[in-house]
Amino acid sequence: MSRVVIGVDVGGTKTRMRLLDLAAGQVAGDRTVPSTGWQTRSLSGAATWLAQRIAAVPRPGDEVVRVVAGAHGCETPEQCDLLERELEAALGMPVTVVNDAELLVPAAGLTAGIGLIAGTGSVAVGRHRETAARLSAGGWGWVLGDDGSGSALVRDAARAVLARADDGAPLEPLGRALLRSYGVPGLPELAAAMSWDGGVETWADHAPAVFAAAAEGSVLAQEVIRRGGAGLAHLVECLARRGADTGAVVAAGGVIVAQPTLFAAFEKELAVRLPGVATTLLRTPPVAGAVELARRRT
């Protein structure tokens, strides 16, 4: 019988699960599935959804000694604790649940720091440097916040384009890029498409249009990206003011990893707000952080 641990990264788009054989010190399984159906409004439902997928990971004869799941949407310690208990009951295995941003620091090979996600949404998570209490900033959703995320960048870009139209100014590259991305002929159709055709959940898919417009020379798009980077730096600054360990900041997420201009804007703003704080753009999959946390807890 092989003693193994399972690391899970539940993201807004996909869920990745990795099996580590402790004796061999090697990854023995890696599985990615869509996150379709994942939600944290009902934590009992979330536990059922996740338990069904985790149960397919171990091999015959494996003894699972720890599961660590980084869960998108688990924004409070209370939510994480409840999901943890529900999962343990469903799986019959020892389980630890954290917010998915908490996977970033261990995935980077570090023991302390702030994890920052900028993908479909955005959130920063850390631990108090003295009490180790969990701290978070952001993660309020794409309508109310999540500045610097793909969804918020598209939201802010559309608002900037529509405000320019209200002033009577002609379309510039950002407006044209959004129309092309949505496949619509004009701004009324753009507003309708963003409101009704898939809604907020699809906004992040159009984030590349903002960066394409910025590369084309759109000052409007460049300002949207600058403000997005500043919004992400603000999340980290909030945690620093509340006592978080700022030994390192590890950033990850589909948007900030794929778009160097956003990471550059974030780094530039953070250097002004928190001089000397080191930043790392995570290239390792965050699920590696879940595996590392599981290994440390055995």
Side-chain angles (χ1 to χ4, degrees):
M1 180 175 289
S2 299
R3 297 176 74 248
V4 301
V5 296
I6 299 174
V8 184
D9 174 27
V10 187
T13 303
K14 62 184 179 181
T15 294
R16 188 165 182 178
M17 296 164 285
R18 181 172 285 183
L19 185 74
L20 178 73
D21 188 310
L22 291 172
Q26 295 180 341
V27 174
D30 205 315
R31 184 167 182 250
T32 300
V33 298
S35 291
T36 306
W38 170 256
Q39 52 74 41
T40 53
R41 294 182 300 276
S42 166
L43 291 178
S44 60
T48 299
W49 185 96
L50 190 51
Q52 290 173 348
R53 286 149 182 83
I54 292 174
V57 175
R59 303 162 300 180
D62 280 341
E63 178 192 359
V64 180
V65 296
R66 173 66 58 178
V67 176
V68 170
H72 172 75
C74 268
E75 306 299 343
T76 68
E78 293 75 19
Q79 284 181 311
C80 291
D81 290 346
L82 180 54
L83 180 57
E84 188 173 290
R85 292 195 297 271
E86 295 274 0
L87 269 176
E88 284 189 337
L91 289 169
M93 305 170 184
V95 176
T96 300
V97 175
V98 298
N99 179 270
D100 54 340
E102 288 199 73
L103 304 182
L104 307 187
V105 171
L110 303 171
T111 57
I114 291 173
L116 173 72
I117 289 181
T120 303
S122 65
V123 67
V125 173
R127 295 277 175 175
H128 194 280
R129 57 179 172 267
E130 295 177 359
T131 67
R134 181 185 178 277
L135 302 170
S136 68
W140 299 118
W142 314 315
V143 175
L144 300 176
D146 283 14
D147 292 344
S149 69
S151 302
L153 288 168
V154 173
R155 175 197 68 203
D156 294 347
R159 291 183 66 182
V161 167
L162 296 175
R164 180 180 166 87
D166 286 341
D167 281 337
L171 279 180
E172 54 88 74
L174 179 57
R176 293 194 292 271
L178 288 177
L179 295 185
R180 286 195 302 271
S181 185
Y182 274 92
V184 294
L187 296 183
E189 292 85 359
L190 173 66
M194 292 186 68
S195 298
W196 306 113
D197 296 350
V200 177
E201 291 80 4
T202 67
W203 288 359
D205 296 340
H206 301 275
V210 180
F211 295 96
E216 192 179 335
S218 168
V219 175
L220 206 59
Q222 292 165 3
E223 177 60 16
V224 167
I225 295 167
R226 186 200 67 76
R227 291 201 308 266
L232 296 173
H234 174 70
L235 296 181
V236 175
E237 183 184 26
C238 286
L239 296 189
R241 286 200 304 264
R242 291 161 57 192
D245 187 324
T246 56
V249 177
V250 181
V255 178
I256 201 166
V257 169
Q259 303 294 347
T261 53
L262 179 60
F263 183 67
F266 161 66
E267 271 196 312
K268 183 176 180 180
E269 185 67 24
L270 189 66
V272 174
R273 295 173 183 242
L274 296 173
V277 173
T279 57
T280 299
L281 186 62
L282 187 67
R283 300 293 184 181
T284 303
V287 71
V291 170
E292 176 59 19
L293 288 178
R295 188 192 63 77
R296 291 176 190 174
R297 284 164 168 75
T298 58

